[in-house]
Amino acid sequence: MLTQNTAGQDLGIHQWKQRIVIVKSSEANNPLFQKQLEQFKEAEDGLKERKLVLYAVQGSTSDFVDYSADSNNNAGQLKQESIQRLLKTSEDFEVLLIGLDGGVKLRQTEILKLEELFRTIDAMPMRRSERKNK
């Protein structure tokens, strides 16, 4: 369930708490965009386990889902400055993974397969530590 808010916020609120996935499309009906969002809906347990939040950016608006919480919470819309700073305007479709430290860990212009997303996250030192301490 994606919800929309009018207040913009900075990605810094997630640093050291949640990993961020940003899925961007110039159009909401882009088939890659729709397929990527569907994949996330089908993998909520894996996303929650890895403390992920999702921003779905369409043009100048964004929707948010917090998979890291007990229920999908709405933390607000992403600030335009964050969108412009992180995303390439020349791309019609783009996916970014931002780690707990705030650094971009993965960027691509094709569908991000969940196996690749999970493998990338699971290889990160902080994730390995999380799994060890469980």
Side-chain angles (χ1 to χ4, degrees):
M1 173 172 108
L2 293 177
T3 53
Q4 190 170 12
N5 219 353
T6 56
Q9 53 187 31
D10 191 7
L11 293 174
I13 64 166
H14 301 293
Q15 193 167 6
W16 305 116
K17 297 178 209 162
Q18 297 131 332
R19 295 171 180 92
I20 304 165
V21 173
I22 301 174
V23 179
K24 179 214 99 172
S25 176
S26 54
E27 300 175 8
N29 62 355
N30 180 318
L32 294 174
F33 183 75
Q34 295 301 326
K35 185 174 180 180
Q36 185 72 77
L37 295 181
E38 280 300 315
Q39 282 189 2
F40 290 129
K41 287 179 188 175
E42 296 170 5
E44 287 191 30
D45 290 341
L47 298 170
K48 183 177 181 176
E49 178 185 333
R50 290 166 180 85
K51 300 183 196 176
L52 278 163
V53 296
L54 167 69
Y55 284 95
V57 178
Q58 306 141 39
S60 63
T61 64
S62 62
D63 296 326
F64 175 83
V65 178
D66 182 353
Y67 290 107
S68 71
D70 288 332
S71 61
N72 295 343
N73 294 323
N74 180 352
Q77 190 171 14
L78 192 56
K79 281 186 176 178
Q80 273 303 305
E81 298 85 45
S82 295
I83 293 170
Q84 292 169 351
R85 180 173 41 91
L86 287 168
L87 300 170
K88 296 180 179 177
T89 57
S90 61
E91 297 296 340
D92 288 332
F93 176 78
E94 190 174 12
V95 182
L96 267 76
L97 170 63
I98 301 172
L100 291 175
D101 63 358
V104 175
K105 307 301 180 185
L106 184 119
R107 177 189 302 266
Q108 63 185 54
T109 57
E110 55 194 41
I111 296 279
L112 175 58
K113 295 181 178 161
L114 292 173
E115 299 83 22
E116 181 182 352
L117 173 65
F118 293 162
R119 186 174 47 250
T120 301
I121 292 170
D122 291 347
M124 295 176 181
M126 292 189 73
R127 173 65 179 151
R128 288 194 313 258
S129 176
E130 290 169 1
R131 292 174 68 177
K132 184 179 177 182
N133 293 333
K134 246 185 170 183

